[in-house]
Amino acid sequence: MASAEEASRPFAGLSDVSISEEIPVEGDIAVPVGPSTRDDEFSTLDEPVKETIVRDLRAVGNKFIHVLYPKRSSALLRDWDLWGPLLLCVTLALLLQGGAADSDDQGGPQFAEVFVIIWFGSIVITLNSKLLGGTISFFQSLCVLGYCIMPLTVALIVCRIVLLSGSGKVSFAVRLGVVTASFGWSTFASTAFLADSHLTNRKALVVYPVFLFYFVIGWMILTFSPGN
Amino acid sequence: MSAGSRSTEPWGGFDDQLIQEQLEVLELKRTTAGPVSEPAVLRPQGGGAAVIDMENMDDTSGSSFEDVGELHQRMREEQEVAEEAAAADADGADDFLGVKGLKGQLGRQVADEVWQAGKRQASRAFNLYANIDILRPYFDVEPAQVRCRLLESMIPVRMITFPQKVAGELYGPLMLVFTLVAILLHGMKTSGTVIVEGTLMGTAIGTCFGYWLGVSCFIFFLAYLVNAQITLLQMLSLLGYGLFGHCVVLLVTYNIHFHFLFYGLWLLLGGLSTLRMVAVLLSRTVGQTPRLLLCGSLALLHMSFLLYLHFSYHRILEGLLDSLGGPDPAAMERVARDVHQVTLNATARSLGRAQ
């Protein structure tokens, strides 16, 4: 029938294949191996763990140095990673925790709040930068903003040390100076990396939210006072 | 025209002409392969169909944003599937079960199909909802434009006979809301509140965004009721720029603490920005009662928000001073000082007086 013919069309090739039982089926199943050098370049699965960790740490450290001496380079953008921002964010949140507990139980900004503020703020700035016509990708921007929190983290450590010696007017003045300087440094560093990707006349529109973001983080650091 | 077809389904089916348009547009897209990342405004009708068709349809058609988008996606997918099937046929279906069949080709194909279907579903959802290009036209501004609009937000225009132009952008309002958040946080510090810092951050963000989005939606709803000619985007933009006056007033009065200065600035700057918004709304509304309702509620909400922002943090420190048996009420000037010192001084003074 016509329908049977149509149904058996995919099986048409079967009629040609008939393996009789007397002839043993044998052959060689050898997968040809490609050039091994190409494999070695990308396969980091077999190297010892220490090597992987040291390589990643070296990359992170390299980027920290780039933030400390910000100049127009594309090192942060080329191989972005989010280890550094995560490390900085966790350090900041841990150090800011449990501060300013006067009489309430709530105290200062909790770990989760600092975490959420930093990442939410970074995402908003990245989206804003993309909507204004930026050419860098989402994760590159997150990477730059995260790494540029480093001066503020250093300022927080300095503030904590200063607070160990009392919390009077002098200490407040010192802390204000340190936080303002590091806030300016962070903004300048992130501008050096982010501004290249934009048209010159829209640079101000991109830099302003970055300025606000680091201002809020600086405010959190400045108003931190250790609980009793 | 197509009223007959629309009434066939209980929810009001698809517009036939709409489907025809979609098909034609798909043909157009297939023949002219354009770049993928054009903004919604510049694309031919098919690419921006989800946005443009929303305006063309009235509310009774029953075709929501999702339905139209799904229809569009389904058509595109059917086209893709047809192309894939054609390509697969061209490869030659002879060796389908020839030799490979015995090694689980069937299972692999099924897995492939499932993977493709899942990928299609995920990309469909992603393209529909997470398409950031929808917002791109609203961020297309220059710094000079933003500066102009900031200054214009304080200048009420007297002409209310024909509708005034409202810029439909979201960059300025968004940045103003964030600035207001930053100013509120700064104000909380200078008013001496070192308690519950963490939740104050959430409160500040919640207050500012809640006001901007909530009041915009409420006024838009009222405008919809009284048939005023303003869209939600324009309302968001108008109210956002109206927060510029608030930012300036709060920035000044959180640092210089004189009651009369605050009241003066409240009337002057708050009043000017409110008048500007009211004038725009007046020019777009017809009828005495609707105008009164709309503009009255906006003025009330806007002015009282500024009062609230100032006094909700002012009151904290005043309450603190009162509870310590504070200084005479004439000295309203506040300075940022350590709370512990005040407690120490008050205690020492009371001890000295007792002896």
Side-chain angles (χ1 to χ4, degrees):
Chain A
M1 312 296 168
S3 57
E5 270 185 27
E6 282 171 24
S8 66
R9 210 185 293 141
F11 300 91
L14 257 187
S15 58
D16 295 331
V17 178
S18 54
I19 305 173
S20 68
E21 292 177 7
E22 296 109 14
I23 306 174
V25 177
E26 56 181 296
D28 195 9
I29 309 178
V31 180
V33 181
S36 56
T37 48
R38 193 170 166 80
D39 252 359
D40 281 346
E41 266 181 36
F42 296 126
S43 152
T44 55
L45 211 56
D46 295 327
E47 63 181 13
V49 175
K50 187 178 84 128
E51 225 176 271
T52 314
I53 292 180
V54 162
R55 187 183 56 234
D56 282 341
L57 279 179
R58 209 176 292 140
V60 168
N62 192 25
K63 292 197 188 65
F64 276 144
I65 294 176
H66 274 279
V67 172
L68 280 179
Y69 302 108
K71 44 185 191 298
R72 270 168 210 279
S73 77
S74 59
L76 233 67
L77 297 179
R78 250 180 302 122
D79 359 280
W80 58 268
D81 72 88
L82 292 177
W83 282 116
L86 182 68
L87 208 65
L88 287 170
C89 181
V90 167
T91 313
L92 207 66
L94 280 176
L95 287 176
L96 276 176
Q97 196 182 15
D102 235 318
S103 53
D104 281 2
D105 296 332
Q106 280 139 333
Q110 301 301 313
F111 184 92
E113 297 208 50
V114 177
F115 214 80
V116 163
I117 284 167
I118 290 180
W119 288 103
F120 179 68
S122 303
I123 289 174
V124 166
I125 294 176
T126 306
L127 285 178
N128 173 61
S129 149
K130 281 188 83 68
L131 284 170
L132 283 173
T135 51
I136 63 178
S137 83
F138 183 75
F139 287 111
Q140 279 172 340
S141 175
L142 279 186
C143 167
V144 167
L145 287 169
Y147 271 105
C148 291
I149 293 181
M150 197 190 71
L152 283 166
T153 313
V154 169
L156 175 62
I157 297 173
V158 169
C159 280
R160 283 211 86 153
I161 297 175
V162 166
L163 276 171
L164 283 177
S165 64
S167 55
K169 271 193 180 301
V170 175
S171 111
F172 179 75
V174 168
R175 279 185 293 139
L176 181 66
V178 167
V179 170
T180 312
S182 62
F183 154 71
W185 193 352
S186 288
T187 312
F188 173 67
S190 67
T191 319
F193 293 116
L194 283 178
D196 275 344
S197 62
H198 282 271
L199 317 165
T200 34
N201 55 342
R202 286 198 184 174
K203 216 182 294 190
L205 296 184
V206 175
V207 168
Y208 181 68
V210 175
F211 167 87
L212 272 183
F213 175 61
Y214 288 132
F215 175 82
V216 167
I217 297 182
W219 172 87
M220 279 199 295
I221 293 174
L222 189 62
T223 60
F224 170 79
S225 53
N228 297 328
Chain B
M1 193 179 59
S2 46
S5 68
R6 232 190 273 164
S7 59
T8 47
E9 318 255 339
W11 47 269
F14 284 112
D15 198 352
D16 267 0
Q17 195 191 3
L18 189 63
I19 297 181
Q20 275 302 336
E21 275 180 43
Q22 300 270 21
L23 289 173
E24 282 168 30
V25 152
L26 276 174
E27 287 300 313
L28 181 69
K29 267 189 88 99
R30 218 175 343 154
T31 50
T32 68
V36 182
S37 63
E38 282 176 5
V41 187
L42 298 178
R43 264 187 240 147
Q45 274 205 345
V51 177
I52 293 179
D53 290 335
M54 232 164 47
E55 293 163 14
N56 287 345
M57 282 188 291
D58 58 37
D59 298 341
T60 59
S61 73
S63 309
S64 64
F65 175 64
E66 280 88 353
D67 287 343
V68 172
E70 267 201 33
L71 175 71
H72 183 71
Q73 278 286 353
R74 213 179 306 139
M75 283 189 201
R76 210 193 297 165
E77 281 159 27
E78 280 166 19
Q79 193 192 333
E80 277 173 8
V81 169
E83 280 171 3
E84 277 171 23
D89 282 339
D91 282 342
D94 296 328
D95 49 347
F96 164 62
L97 272 186
V99 181
K100 306 177 207 163
L102 301 171
K103 286 198 180 154
Q105 171 77 347
L106 191 62
R108 221 175 300 138
Q109 271 215 346
V110 167
D112 255 343
E113 277 295 313
V114 170
W115 168 251
Q116 288 294 330
K119 202 167 81 157
R120 267 201 297 272
Q121 279 235 347
S123 73
R124 182 204 299 182
F126 184 74
N127 283 341
L128 197 57
Y129 291 110
N131 195 4
I132 198 180
D133 283 334
I134 294 176
L135 291 177
R136 205 178 276 271
Y138 308 139
F139 280 76
D140 191 14
V141 288
E142 305 293 320
Q145 280 180 318
V146 176
R147 200 174 39 238
C148 275
R149 285 174 190 163
L150 281 177
L151 292 174
E152 277 170 9
S153 74
M154 305 296 292
I155 305 173
V157 182
R158 312 251 358 213
M159 191 151 31
I160 56 174
T161 44
F162 68 90
Q164 294 182 18
K165 186 175 168 323
V166 182
E169 60 140 317
L170 285 179
Y171 173 83
L174 201 65
M175 287 307 127
L176 277 170
V177 173
F178 280 124
T179 310
L180 192 62
V181 169
I183 293 176
L184 278 186
L185 293 175
H186 164 68
M188 283 182 230
K189 171 55 191 165
T190 56
S191 75
T193 51
V194 287
I195 314 171
V196 295
E197 271 177 25
T199 51
L200 282 182
M201 175 86 67
T203 314
I205 294 179
T207 309
C208 296
F209 268 97
Y211 175 77
W212 182 48
L213 295 172
V215 171
S216 288
C217 290
F218 175 67
I219 301 289
F220 172 69
F221 170 67
L222 283 184
Y224 172 77
L225 285 181
V226 305
N227 208 17
Q229 303 296 315
I230 195 162
T231 64
L232 182 59
L233 172 71
Q234 287 171 332
M235 195 57 229
L236 281 170
S237 186
L238 195 64
L239 192 65
Y241 275 114
L243 287 175
F244 177 59
H246 284 21
C247 287
V248 172
V249 172
L250 289 175
L251 191 60
V252 170
T253 56
Y254 277 153
N255 294 310
I256 306 170
H257 314 289
F258 283 117
H259 263 311
F260 293 116
L261 177 67
F262 169 70
Y263 284 124
L265 283 179
W266 175 64
L267 280 176
L268 183 65
L269 296 182
L272 276 179
S273 67
T274 312
L275 273 179
R276 155 125 183 119
M277 291 197 296
V278 158
V280 171
L281 280 179
L282 277 179
S283 72
R284 288 167 174 257
T285 318
V286 190
Q288 285 295 96
T289 317
R291 280 179 166 182
L292 190 63
L293 174 69
L294 205 56
C295 302
S297 39
L298 180 62
L300 188 69
L301 286 169
H302 203 63
M303 298 296 274
S304 42
F305 184 58
L306 185 53
L307 276 180
Y308 165 73
L309 284 181
H310 179 86
F311 284 112
S312 64
Y313 308 116
H314 187 96
R315 204 187 303 132
I316 294 174
L317 189 60
E318 276 199 346
L320 205 60
L321 288 175
D322 285 341
S323 67
L324 297 170
D328 45 326
M332 272 306 180
E333 197 169 2
R334 289 181 290 143
V335 275
R337 54 190 166 180
D338 219 348
V339 177
H340 300 293
Q341 273 190 356
V342 173
T343 321
L344 200 59
N345 289 344
T347 322
R349 238 182 290 133
S350 67
L351 279 178
R353 244 182 273 132
Q355 282 173 6

